[in-house]
Amino acid sequence: MAKTILGKKVGMTQIFTEEGTMIPVTVIEANPNAVVQIKTKESDGYDAVQIGYADLKDNRANKPVKGHFKKWGAPLKKHLAEIRLDEGESYEAGQEITVADFEEGKKLDVTATSKGKGTQGNIKRHGHHRGPVSHGSKHKRLPGALAAAAAPSRVFKGNKGPGRMGNETVTVQNLELVKVIPERNVMLVKGAVPGIRGSVVRVQYAVKGE
């Protein structure tokens, strides 16, 4: 299993090595995650665990949600994620996963919802070239031809044009875990990660490895 934890993107800063090299890092605050549910091949057809992040107030949970957590003896959590298990791995309901379980220097994959940019034109959204800007030009930032004429008399699916940009699930791979601060539940990851400040991110050991 790629070791996984849910956390919150705090923002970016920079740290310096002993040699004086500056490293831009993203600060991720990952309070202890609880193992909420255990899935097995016998009961669910595959081996996995469900983890929870961020405490949920009792009055914010409905009866089905409370029943789910009560069944497994786990504390109420606001955000849930499922992790597939490899052969031989085992967890217990209620067990905690913390930043101390992660090793400095390892490569990480970070997944989050990217910043929403609203409706954008094809130039910003897809990186298309603009048209000529000389006097009389009527094609500066327009999308241009969309399809053939009489045949097939339609726009092909997947055509790159204007539309909603951002606000989608994005994974940035092979980011280096520069530093772990267990007493503050903080991870410092080299480079930028998706999402706005305060957004929930999923951090796991890189699938492709080093």
Side-chain angles (χ1 to χ4, degrees):
M1 180 195 75
K3 190 172 291 184
T4 305
I5 193 170
L6 298 179
K8 179 179 69 173
K9 178 179 176 179
V10 178
M12 290 198 70
T13 185
Q14 58 191 27
I15 61 175
F16 293 87
T17 64
E18 294 180 357
E19 294 76 23
T21 304
M22 188 271 288
I23 303 177
V25 294
T26 299
V27 181
I28 297 176
E29 182 184 16
N31 294 324
N33 287 199
V35 176
V36 175
Q37 180 183 5
I38 308 293
K39 294 189 175 183
T40 62
K41 289 182 180 178
E42 292 73 23
S43 60
D44 303 277
Y46 61 97
D47 293 323
V49 294
Q50 185 184 71
I51 61 174
Y53 165 72
D55 293 334
L56 179 65
K57 293 181 179 179
D58 185 75
N59 61 351
R60 294 295 181 93
N62 56 27
K63 287 185 178 180
V65 171
K66 290 179 181 178
H68 175 68
F69 284 89
K70 184 178 180 180
K71 176 182 177 181
W72 294 96
L76 290 173
K77 295 293 182 179
K78 190 179 297 183
H79 306 285
L80 300 174
E82 187 173 288
I83 311 169
R84 289 293 186 103
L85 296 180
D86 293 332
E87 194 71 30
E89 288 186 304
S90 62
Y91 284 83
E92 296 180 0
Q95 180 179 339
E96 285 192 342
I97 301 173
T98 68
V99 296
D101 298 327
F102 288 76
E103 184 180 341
E104 294 180 359
K106 289 285 190 178
K107 297 295 185 179
L108 304 174
D109 292 342
V110 182
T111 303
T113 301
S114 63
K115 291 182 180 180
K117 295 176 173 62
T119 303
Q120 299 296 335
N122 56 300
I123 292 178
K124 180 170 182 177
R125 191 181 185 207
H126 299 293
H128 290 177
H129 291 288
R130 58 163 175 76
V133 295
S134 56
H135 180 68
S137 170
K138 297 182 179 179
H139 186 278
K140 295 182 176 67
R141 298 181 66 89
L142 298 176
L146 299 178
S153 298
R154 64 185 176 87
V155 177
F156 291 114
K157 289 183 178 180
N159 180 72
K160 292 183 178 180
R164 193 191 75 175
M165 183 178 178
N167 194 32
E168 57 189 2
T169 302
V170 176
T171 299
V172 179
Q173 297 180 321
N174 292 326
L175 297 174
E176 181 183 350
L177 177 57
V178 178
K179 189 175 182 62
V180 176
I181 310 175
E183 61 272 15
R184 299 179 63 182
N185 297 316
V186 165
M187 310 170 77
L188 301 182
V189 180
K190 183 178 180 180
V193 304
I196 62 173
R197 292 190 189 94
S199 59
V200 176
V201 298
R202 174 175 173 149
V203 182
Q204 66 181 42
Y205 277 158
V207 174
K208 296 180 180 178
E210 301 182 27

